[in-house]
């Protein structure tokens, strides 16, 4: 399990959908509340809490 929000750009695949920040495999103890991000139509999303950017790779 990795720390939440340690990177600024995360590359995700359709297997990761629905996309949430922090992602399920990240530790939540020091992160913000989980928020679901719409990424399917545009291919990218930015978390309103931590400004992490997500890019859909497939």
């Amino acid at each position: 399990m990795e720390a939440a929000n340690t990177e600024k750009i995360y590359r995700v695949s359709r297997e990761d959908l629905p996309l949430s920040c922090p992602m399920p495999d990240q530790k939540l103890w020091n992160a913000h509340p989980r928020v679901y991000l719409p990424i399917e139509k545009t291919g990218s999303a930015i978390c309103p809490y931590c400004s992490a950017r997500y890019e859909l790779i497939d």
Side-chain angles (χ1 to χ4, degrees):
M1 194 171 271
E2 67 180 61
N5 312 329
T6 57
E7 302 286 329
K8 283 296 178 186
I9 298 178
Y10 295 93
R11 288 173 177 78
V12 296
S13 69
R14 295 202 181 270
E15 292 177 3
D16 297 314
L17 301 180
L19 176 62
S20 65
C21 183
M23 294 179 67
D25 62 343
Q26 296 172 330
K27 296 177 187 175
L28 299 177
W29 66 269
N30 64 346
H32 55 72
R34 180 164 289 165
V35 60
Y36 288 90
L37 304 171
I39 195 171
E40 296 85 356
K41 290 184 181 180
T42 63
S44 66
I46 297 175
C47 177
Y49 286 101
C50 67
S51 299
R53 181 183 172 129
Y54 293 87
E55 294 179 355
L56 191 59
I57 58 172
D58 62 1

